[in-house]
Amino acid sequence: MFPRRKITPKGTDIQMETNGKRIVYADNAATTPVSPKVLDAMLPFFKENFGNPSSLYSIGAAAKKPLEEARDRVAACLGAEPTEIYFTSGGSESDNWAIKGAAHRMAKQGKTHIITSKFEHHAVLHTCTALEKEGFTVTYLDVHENGIVVPEELEAAITDKTALVTVMYANNEIGTIQPIPEIGAICKKHGVLFHTDAVQAVGNVPIDVKNENIDMLSLSGHKFHAPKGVGALYIRKGITLPNLIDGGAQERNRRAGTENVAGIVGLSVALEEAVRTMDEKNAKLRRMQTKLIDAILKIDRSRLNGDREKRLAGNISFCFEGVEGESLLLMLDLHGVSASSGSACTSGSLDPSHVLLAIGLKHEVAHGSLRLSFSDMNEESDVDYIIEVLPPIVERLRAMSPLWDAIIHGRA
Amino acid sequence: MAYSAKVMEHFANPHNVGELPDANGVGEVGNPKCGDIMRMYIKVENDRIVDVKFMTFGCGAAIATSSMATDLVKGKTIEEALKLTNKAVMEALDGLPPVKIHCSVLAEQAIKAAVSDYYRRIGIDPVPIVGEIRTDADELACSI
């Protein structure tokens, strides 16, 4: 994708200088480049239209209108009302606000139980851990071998103390899509608040918060070609959460801080574009996904993590026995492929991915994981290139692996 | 976390990779659960390590420290090889990220494990000379 163009003198091009080496960016679940269209929409708000939307004079008002137009666009993309959209600094803030807010509000009614899944993003898991320290009890639902929550198990976990269910829309490592409409219906039936961390799903999966009975939804701009540092929380009308950030009267007194106007405008334009082009993009990504999965499965002792069908079109997650994930990533990087791993080493922690352990992988297998995540900016030729370079890399690492030696001789 | 150019050089083109069929000392440390295993082969003649090879399952630092440690003991006497410290391996690689220091410890232990095996094979108790080897390096790999 990247090597065909060079950085323009204006510096507005997203392409990288590559010195002729092929570069394939395959880590779009980590972050995406800001698209040229989004950047163009944002630029006026850094310079000409720099006003504070809260100011009375015309320069301020000139920033207020685009802010509200951005809110309209985001609401339309989710099937929400504009007054139900609150802009935040990103997915982590949205998750913290929704979960802590709902928990603290419901605790006043004596409801101190939260249901979540074992493989949520740390923004959700660590928030739940923090609430456990405050005295809340948390049920962590199994996600089974296919990486999908079973709605009946969720329903069985609901008690008269249950305040909140928080289950991610799509998993960030293995891309599995959760049965959100079914969970929404269950929560509605039992009068339990339902939050979903939809950071990986928004812009990639059609979402309608009303039809799916979602009470709160977190999203983050940089996963769909908007910049980092801007996100949103949808809060259904009628639900009042205590503020996470106190201060000024921005966001209808619910989230203080001068609005990141450029970021918010960028997020809204990016989301609108992602939703408008979703079908076309997903059709292309599915073709690439099928080709790549079929090719990688031909590697001996490789394993696709998570359900093959119920997953994001742009996500591929594999484990290779006898290979350690970080080495794999470094080797891929030497070949110009930017990818990610559930491997401990990449995150600075020495434990393997909690997601891969949650779907039942053994520690030694979970160490050998690879996540490739694509966006509409990738091309089929990127997949062809990965199919060309990946098998020899796996073979090379296995050739120096004492573990592989033991595996093929039946000693491990 | 970023590796030094030296680490990347040894990772991309590691020295002394493979098995040594006529090795007279073999040591293995680490465990798969923690994500690091190093196996070192040494061929000793007249108290000198005339050849050395390694097989490693692990991260970039595990492979690079294996490569560097084998370089540092190749051609050395056993006495010299036993003086190899993890610090020396790290310094020779222009440093390691703090979270990867345990890899250099594993490399040092792997050399010592191979020497211990050599002594055992010739009927000498290695413990007074080499010390205890933490072959089950559960703590070594997972908590250092």
Side-chain angles (χ1 to χ4, degrees), chain B residues 119-139:
Chain B
Y119 277 131
R120 241 178 263 115
R121 289 187 195 198
I122 59 171
I124 296 172
D125 177 11
V127 178
I129 310 165
V130 184
E132 292 286 350
I133 304 296
R134 298 163 72 180
T135 46
D136 175 25
D138 224 337
E139 291 165 59

Side-chain angles (χ1 to χ4, degrees), chain B residues 29-77:
Chain B
V29 295
N31 79 44
K33 210 178 157 203
C34 298
D36 292 297
I37 310 176
M38 289 183 195
R39 189 190 295 159
M40 302 267 186
Y41 301 82
I42 53 170
K43 187 180 173 193
V44 182
E45 280 172 10
N46 301 322
D47 275 345
R48 195 171 284 278
I49 297 174
V50 294
D51 204 358
V52 56
K53 295 262 187 207
F54 79 87
M55 295 277 278
T56 290
F57 161 81
C59 61
I63 291 169
T65 54
S66 303
S67 170
M68 183 53 84
T70 50
D71 267 0
L72 291 172
V73 299
K74 198 168 182 175
K76 299 282 165 62
T77 62

Side-chain angles (χ1 to χ4, degrees), chain B residues 17-32:
Chain B
V17 180
E19 292 175 319
L20 200 56
D22 57 347
N24 51 11
V26 182
E28 186 173 305
V29 295
N31 79 44

Side-chain angles (χ1 to χ4, degrees), chain A residues 71-143:
Chain A
R71 201 184 307 280
D72 294 346
R73 276 195 286 271
V74 172
C77 289
L78 299 172
E81 301 291 325
T83 53
E84 296 173 315
I85 303 298
Y86 299 88
F87 292 111
T88 66
S89 65
S92 292
E93 184 191 328
S94 295
D95 286 342
N96 269 265
W97 185 13
I99 297 168
K100 287 176 181 164
H104 290 146
R105 179 173 168 271
M106 298 308 287
K108 289 180 185 158
Q109 298 170 25
K111 292 185 185 249
T112 54
H113 175 229
I114 296 162
I115 299 171
T116 187
S117 80
K118 283 181 181 168
F119 75 164
E120 295 295 310
H121 189 275
H122 285 128
V124 169
L125 283 182
H126 290 171
T127 299
C128 287
T129 316
L131 288 167
E132 281 180 301
K133 285 183 187 148
E134 289 180 29
F136 288 88
T137 53
V138 180
T139 299
Y140 298 90
L141 294 171
D142 207 339
V143 291

